[in-house]
Amino acid sequence: MSVRDEPPGSPRPAEPAEGGTVGAVLTKEDPPGADPTLGEQVRRGPARFWPFLLVGILAVVISGALGLRQDAQTAVLILVVVIALVFDYTNGFHDAANAIATSVSTRALTPRAALIMAAVMNLIGALLGVEVAKTVSEVITPPTGLHGLTVVAAGVLGAITWNMITWYFGLPSSSSHALIGGVVGAGVASASSVSWSTVLEKVAIPMVISPIAGFGLAYMVMVSILWIFRRANPGRVARRFRIAQSLSAASMALGHGLQDAQKTMGIIVLALVTTGHATGETVPLWVILACATALALGTYAGGWRIMRTLGRRVIELDPPKGFAAESTASLILYATAYIWHAPISTTHTITSCIMGVGATKRFSAVRWGVAGNIITAWILTMPMAAAVAAIVYFVVHLFGA
C-alpha cells in the first residue's frame, strides 16, 4: 500500500525567493541534481559571514583576557554564564528542525504554529530532569578559579563556532557533540583531568548506537503502520495521521528540551563549581529556568535552513512517515535521558529515524548524497569543536593569564 498525503495532481507552492516562507520551501520538491556537496556549500558561503563570526569570537576572547588580567573572577563568571546561554540559544534555533521539520514538510502544522508549539514544549521539557546535566558537568575537572573559567568558556565558544558554521550551511550536525567536543578540547589543551570513561560510555557509544537504533526501530514502526493500514483509504489515513503527527511533533519537542537544555545546565554548573558557588550535587533553580528560557527562545527563532534539509532533501515524507519518525525518536530521547542519563544527539536521532522510515519504500528513496553530507558533519563535529576550543583557550590564556 502506498500512503500519500495529497491526491495526484494537487498543486505545490512555487519555490520562494530569498526570505520566502519555510512552508513553501519544504513543500517544493528539489529538482534532480540539486543537492550540492559539502565542499560546494562551503565555497558558496558569502564572505561577510566569516568576518562577523570572527569578530564575535574575538570580542569574547578579549573580554575574557581583560577579566583575567584584572583578576575579576565574578565578571568572568558572568561572562561564562552569558556565553553558555548564547550557546543554548544557538542550540535552539540550530535544532528547531529536529522537532518540527517533518510536521511542516507533511503540512500537518504551519511553520509558525510548529515553532510556537516546539518552543513551548522545549520549555516544559527542560524542566523535567537534571541527570543529563550532571553527566555533562562530570566530563572534565577544570582548575579552580579564573583558570577553570577560561577552560569552560573556551569549550563553549568552540561549540558555538561549529554550531554557527553548520547552521549556516544547513547541515544538521549535533549541538550536543559540539559542546562535548569543545569542553574536551579545552580540557586537553589546559591539561585538565578529562573523564574519558564518561566520554566513552555516555557520549561515544550512544553516538554510534542511537542512530543505528533510530534507523532500525523507525523502519519497523513504519512497516507495522503500512501493514495495519494496508486496506485503508490512503487519503483518509493521511488526514488522520496529520492529527497524530501534531502529537508526535510535540513529543519530539519535549524530548529535545529534556535533552538539550540540560547540557547547557551542566556547563553552567561546571563554571559555578570551579568558582566555589556550587557543589555540583544539584542544579540551581535559576540555572534550570535560564537554560529552559534560552532554548525556547532560540527554538522560536527557528532553524529554517536545516528544516529544509531534514524535511525534504533526505526523503520525501508523508504524515504516516513523519509520525513514525517522530514517535520513534521521542522514545529514544526519553529512554536515554531517564534510564542511561546519556546526552545523545537529537539531530542524530531524528535524522536516522527519517532515513529509516524512508527506506521502507525502497533504499534508493533516501537521498544518500545528502545523508552523506550529514554524516560528514557528524564525524567532524567533535574534533572541529575541540580544535576551535583549544585555540580559544591558548589565545585567552596567553594574553590574559
Side-chain angles (χ1 to χ4, degrees):
M1 181 198 74
S2 175
V3 180
R4 298 174 298 178
D5 61 337
E6 294 293 336
S10 57
R12 289 183 180 273
E15 180 81 34
E18 183 69 23
T21 64
V22 176
V25 173
L26 289 172
T27 53
K28 167 69 173 163
E29 184 175 348
D30 290 329
D35 300 329
T37 65
L38 185 62
E40 288 172 344
Q41 293 183 60
V42 172
R43 287 192 295 271
R44 292 178 186 179
R48 64 183 180 183
F49 170 75
W50 306 110
F52 176 78
L53 180 63
L54 182 61
V55 168
I57 294 175
L58 287 177
V60 176
V61 169
I62 292 172
S63 299
L66 291 175
L68 287 176
R69 281 199 174 279
Q70 299 300 320
D71 197 28
Q73 180 171 288
T74 301
V76 176
L77 175 60
I78 294 173
L79 179 64
V80 171
V81 172
V82 171
I83 293 172
L85 292 177
V86 169
F87 168 80
D88 204 22
Y89 181 87
T90 64
N91 190 349
F93 75 72
H94 187 277
D95 289 358
N98 295 345
I100 64 178
T102 53
S103 300
V104 175
S105 170
T106 61
R107 305 177 191 176
L109 295 170
T110 65
R112 189 58 59 188
L115 279 173
I116 294 174
M117 178 275 295
V120 172
M121 298 307 290
N122 271 192
L123 181 63
I124 296 173
L127 304 176
L128 298 182
V130 295
E131 294 303 324
V132 173
K134 293 180 181 178
T135 297
V136 173
S137 66
E138 295 169 357
V139 169
I140 67 169
T141 304
T144 58
L146 283 169
H147 191 190
L149 289 177
T150 305
V151 175
V152 177
V156 180
L157 281 173
I160 291 175
T161 303
W162 185 247
N163 261 4
M164 294 299 294
I165 292 172
T166 54
W167 164 80
Y168 182 80
F169 292 122
L171 295 173
S173 67
S174 169
S175 297
S176 308
H177 296 150
L179 184 61
I180 299 296
V183 170
V184 170
V188 171
S190 63
S192 299
S193 174
V194 179
S195 178
W196 294 110
S197 61
T198 300
V199 174
L200 177 64
E201 296 173 8
K202 301 291 187 179
V203 181
I205 293 177
M207 180 176 68
V208 176
I209 293 178
S210 58
I212 297 174
F215 186 97
L217 289 175
Y219 183 92
M220 290 188 289
V221 169
M222 191 62 212
V223 168
S224 301
I225 290 175
L226 291 171
W227 187 85
I228 293 171
F229 295 97
R230 64 190 182 280
R231 293 189 178 89
N233 178 274
R236 183 177 301 172
V237 170
R239 286 192 295 272
R240 291 176 179 175
F241 269 100
R242 276 200 182 96
I243 299 174
Q245 200 183 354
S246 299
L247 299 177
S248 64
S251 177
M252 179 68 200
L254 188 73
H256 177 249
L258 176 66
Q259 274 279 345
D260 283 34
Q262 289 193 54
K263 295 155 191 171
T264 305
M265 295 178 200
I267 293 300
I268 295 179
V269 168
L270 189 60
L272 294 174
V273 169
T274 62
T275 56
H277 290 85
T279 62
E281 298 296 324
T282 60
V283 180
L285 179 61
W286 70 267
V287 174
I288 296 174
L289 294 176
C291 292
T293 302
L295 185 69
L297 291 174
T299 299
Y300 185 73
W304 307 120
R305 291 175 182 271
I306 298 175
M307 282 171 62
R308 182 172 184 268
T309 300
L310 278 179
R312 279 293 176 189
R313 293 182 58 201
V314 176
I315 176 67
E316 296 298 327
L317 292 172
D318 55 24
K321 287 187 177 71
F323 172 80
E326 290 171 342
S327 57
T328 303
S330 300
L331 178 64
I332 294 174
L333 291 176
Y334 297 148
T336 51
Y338 285 120
I339 299 176
W340 293 289
H341 309 154
I344 71 165
S345 167
T346 55
T347 308
H348 285 205
T349 305
I350 187 60
T351 305
S352 61
C353 289
I354 290 173
M355 293 179 186
V357 299
T360 59
K361 183 177 180 181
R362 61 181 184 278
F363 274 88
S364 61
V366 179
R367 292 169 182 162
W368 295 108
V370 179
N373 286 349
I374 294 172
I375 293 172
T376 300
W378 288 355
I379 295 172
L380 291 175
T381 291
M382 289 190 70
M384 292 300 293
V388 175
I391 293 172
V392 171
Y393 168 77
F394 284 126
V395 171
V396 174
H397 193 65
L398 177 65
F399 291 101

